[in-house]
Amino acid sequence: MSIKYENSNPSNTGLFLKSLRAKSRGHMNVLKIIPLKNNTPIEYTYSADYSSIILSFDGGEISICFDTDSRILLYGKGADVGLRLDTQPVYNFEFNYYLGTEGNEYSIINSYKNLTKFLVFAPSGKVNLTQNILYDDTGSTSESENVSFIDITSSNAEDFKCVIQDIPTHTALPFYKEYDFEECRANSQKAFESFCALQPVVDEKYAKSLLYASYINWSSTVKPEGYLRRYTIFASNNYFLGAWSWDHCFNALGLAGVDNNLAFDQMEVLYDYQDELGQIPGSVSDSTLRWNFTKPAVQGLFYSKMMKKMDFTKEQLESIYSHVEKQVLFYEKYKDSNNDGIIEYTHGNDSGQDNSTVFKDAIIIDSPDLTAFLIKSMDTLSDIAKKLNNEEGRLYWNNRADELTKKFIDYFIVDNLPVARATRTGEIIHSNALLPLMSIVLGKRLPDEIRKSMIDLLSSKKYLTDWGIASEAIDSDLYQDDAYWRGPIWAPTTLLLVEAFEDCGETELAMDIARKYCNLINKSGCAENYNAITGEALRDKSFTWTASTFIYLASKLYKYENK
């Protein structure tokens, strides 16, 4: 569950309880929270901190906080103050239930639009359900004029408490106890402060953004349920309800050395479903596994980064080795349709840079970044084999990485720069997209002249702005300020490039880009992506890989500037 003030629909603005179950994505708003005065809706203002929300209006206020990960507590005070929970039915077969005995009434919200249910009861106050259901001759339609809302009113005309409880399966009964709102709020605050206390040190000028980024990650963490076998940080608790198969890596790296158990879980949440072929799902949520796309194979690279910040147990290393080895073999066998030793992207979504201009002609392509990620996975396998005293494995994967690096250079490098090619013909795809240049992650595996050419291009005004590196050259005919991967700045490419520049020995450049990115977050918050020229926040305004990348880079920058 989450609570958000919605203003995207001018005819229906207000505070909404939202369901974060992936099956709810089409209708995330479960109910609208409406303050009442004398049983009549009243205009209000709201304020919020990291533990509670307060709705203020003439003659009273309603405060809201999470009591547990499954319950929300609302406390209203003021003469004749009440609360309406408008469930806003969408289908004709949505129906809410009025249950209990006199004086202990409660309601079940049967939210078919969210494929879930909620229990509503009043530890102090009165519950009443008002609804009308219109059945039509066709049985059920996608639109309806149904009305169904639950009113909570005071039993003493001065205050009330209301509990909204998530029901994961069929039903539940009210749990009556002494609900103390201030105690509830203090517990929530303490939980968040405990999470914040684990975060790394950053420069004071980034302290407010660190708090904000930490809150985004903390509030987007959901408990194990359904397909989720461990605590999982969703890509967003706004629109992207799940863990995607490269988003999870950035959250894991941001947690490495901060909360190692949670960091390891973020990597494993996708590997929990690695199939017999070696593929991991494109995303996982409580209710959905998506296998349509594979995403870029960055996991091996990220495990190597995590090993520098945390100690894995022998059992964990063995598990990682098995996971990454199966993944490499999957790509080699099933993503090389012409058997030329170069793996392929069959769609932009597989690359993570979904609509990159490299894919503008919608063809199967050989992109150098994918081969580079595979080489880095082989390097990681070699390193882990060494830690496990597996000399044969160390030599094998090191030799494989060397062989693939030579093939990479022979096939992809033209005039000292990497190019993507059409898989079937081998023809060069002329593009100003960032995607092929992400192969700079190979670092010092690249010959000096190639590495220098790539760094010079990436650090030129074609790509580098005041805020970071654009996903399409800003002088390109195909550049757009807000077109996903055709211009905007993104967290994942920023982190990968900062790390790559460091690996290449370009520490000053790496720190300059890290500083630009941290300043961008200070200016515009943790959005999904940003206008490369103005730094304006774009799309989803609350994204966890953005928050995790900021925490990671702000910490790195602090250590660099205070060494």
Side-chain angles (χ1 to χ4, degrees), residues 174-308:
F175 177 56
Y176 290 103
K177 67 170 188 174
E178 183 61 37
Y179 288 90
D180 185 312
F181 185 86
E182 282 307 312
E183 180 181 348
C184 170
R185 189 203 62 77
N187 288 340
S188 183
Q189 181 72 20
K190 182 179 179 181
F192 176 55
E193 288 173 351
S194 297
F195 184 79
C196 289
L198 299 172
Q199 302 305 313
V201 178
V202 303
D203 190 278
E204 180 61 30
K205 66 184 176 183
Y206 300 129
K208 185 176 180 180
S209 292
L210 176 65
L211 189 68
Y212 178 50
S214 300
Y215 181 76
I216 287 174
N217 286 348
W218 180 72
S219 63
S220 299
T221 305
V222 300
K223 63 186 177 183
E225 192 174 285
Y227 288 129
L228 299 175
R229 298 178 180 175
R230 54 192 82 228
Y231 280 93
T232 302
I233 300 180
F234 276 2
S236 163
N237 69 1
N238 197 11
Y239 300 119
F240 291 88
L241 309 180
W244 269 256
S245 63
W246 71 316
D247 302 52
H248 71 125
C249 297
F250 299 89
N251 289 332
L253 183 59
L255 287 164
V258 174
D259 185 332
N260 291 341
N261 291 330
L262 190 57
F264 183 70
D265 280 347
Q266 298 322 295
M267 293 299 289
E268 291 295 291
V269 69
L270 271 299
Y271 282 110
D272 283 339
Y273 292 96
Q274 188 173 32
D275 68 10
E276 67 277 5
L277 305 181
Q279 182 182 357
I280 61 175
S283 68
V284 60
S285 70
D286 63 300
S287 55
T288 309
L289 287 170
R290 293 183 176 91
W291 293 95
N292 302 76
F293 302 105
T294 58
K295 303 301 180 183
V298 300
Q299 285 78 12
L301 171 59
F302 273 82
Y303 277 126
S304 70
K305 300 295 181 185
M306 292 171 70
M307 283 191 287
K308 296 176 182 179

Side-chain angles (χ1 to χ4, degrees), residues 81-376:
V81 167
L83 169 69
R84 174 164 295 170
L85 304 176
D86 184 352
T87 65
Q88 302 192 324
V90 174
Y91 303 109
N92 283 329
F93 44 82
E94 278 194 38
F95 193 82
N96 301 318
Y97 313 134
Y98 189 53
L99 304 166
T101 59
E102 186 174 352
N104 290 293
E105 299 88 352
Y106 63 94
S107 283
I108 298 288
I109 297 174
N110 187 359
S111 186
Y112 200 90
K113 65 177 181 282
N114 304 94
L115 297 180
T116 191
K117 294 182 178 180
F118 295 86
L119 169 69
V120 177
F121 64 97
S124 63
K126 297 178 180 179
V127 177
N128 187 50
L129 171 65
T130 300
Q131 62 183 347
N132 72 289
I133 298 295
L134 172 66
Y135 290 99
D136 63 18
D137 294 337
T138 63
S140 59
T141 60
S142 60
E143 300 294 334
S144 70
E145 296 180 354
N146 297 347
V147 171
S148 183
F149 51 83
I150 299 162
D151 282 359
I152 312 295
T153 55
S154 171
S155 55
N156 59 14
E158 291 184 1
D159 64 4
F160 68 86
K161 291 173 185 171
C162 172
V163 172
I164 304 172
Q165 181 174 323
D166 177 49
I167 304 175
T169 54
H170 183 66
T171 193
L173 294 173
F175 177 56
Y176 290 103
K177 67 170 188 174
E178 183 61 37
Y179 288 90
D180 185 312
F181 185 86
E182 282 307 312
E183 180 181 348
C184 170
R185 189 203 62 77
N187 288 340
S188 183
Q189 181 72 20
K190 182 179 179 181
F192 176 55
E193 288 173 351
S194 297
F195 184 79
C196 289
L198 299 172
Q199 302 305 313
V201 178
V202 303
D203 190 278
E204 180 61 30
K205 66 184 176 183
Y206 300 129
K208 185 176 180 180
S209 292
L210 176 65
L211 189 68
Y212 178 50
S214 300
Y215 181 76
I216 287 174
N217 286 348
W218 180 72
S219 63
S220 299
T221 305
V222 300
K223 63 186 177 183
E225 192 174 285
Y227 288 129
L228 299 175
R229 298 178 180 175
R230 54 192 82 228
Y231 280 93
T232 302
I233 300 180
F234 276 2
S236 163
N237 69 1
N238 197 11
Y239 300 119
F240 291 88
L241 309 180
W244 269 256
S245 63
W246 71 316
D247 302 52
H248 71 125
C249 297
F250 299 89
N251 289 332
L253 183 59
L255 287 164
V258 174
D259 185 332
N260 291 341
N261 291 330
L262 190 57
F264 183 70
D265 280 347
Q266 298 322 295
M267 293 299 289
E268 291 295 291
V269 69
L270 271 299
Y271 282 110
D272 283 339
Y273 292 96
Q274 188 173 32
D275 68 10
E276 67 277 5
L277 305 181
Q279 182 182 357
I280 61 175
S283 68
V284 60
S285 70
D286 63 300
S287 55
T288 309
L289 287 170
R290 293 183 176 91
W291 293 95
N292 302 76
F293 302 105
T294 58
K295 303 301 180 183
V298 300
Q299 285 78 12
L301 171 59
F302 273 82
Y303 277 126
S304 70
K305 300 295 181 185
M306 292 171 70
M307 283 191 287
K308 296 176 182 179
K309 296 179 67 65
M310 60 183 280
D311 294 324
F312 290 106
T313 66
K314 181 175 181 290
E315 291 74 17
Q316 287 174 330
L317 288 174
E318 289 172 342
S319 176
I320 293 168
Y321 188 89
S322 174
H323 290 330
V324 176
E325 182 178 49
K326 289 178 182 176
Q327 190 175 26
V328 168
L329 296 176
F330 162 76
Y331 274 92
E332 290 186 322
K333 183 174 182 178
Y334 295 100
K335 291 291 185 177
D336 181 14
S337 62
N338 59 358
N339 298 312
D340 66 350
I342 299 294
I343 54 178
E344 308 147 359
Y345 282 136
T346 53
H347 190 280
N349 287 358
D350 282 333
S351 76
Q353 298 189 31
D354 309 357
N355 67 331
S356 167
T357 57
V358 174
F359 300 99
K360 66 182 182 301
D361 295 322
I363 55 176
I364 312 302
I365 75 167
D366 298 330
S367 186
D369 65 296
L370 183 54
T371 296
F373 290 137
L374 205 66
I375 293 168
K376 296 302 292 186

Side-chain angles (χ1 to χ4, degrees), residues 513-536:
I513 294 171
R515 191 176 298 107
K516 288 176 185 290
Y517 180 80
C518 291
N519 291 341
L520 175 62
I521 303 306
N522 256 9
K523 164 185 163 65
S524 300
C526 295
E528 186 179 358
N529 53 66
Y530 304 87
N531 182 310
I533 297 172
T534 67
E536 175 193 358

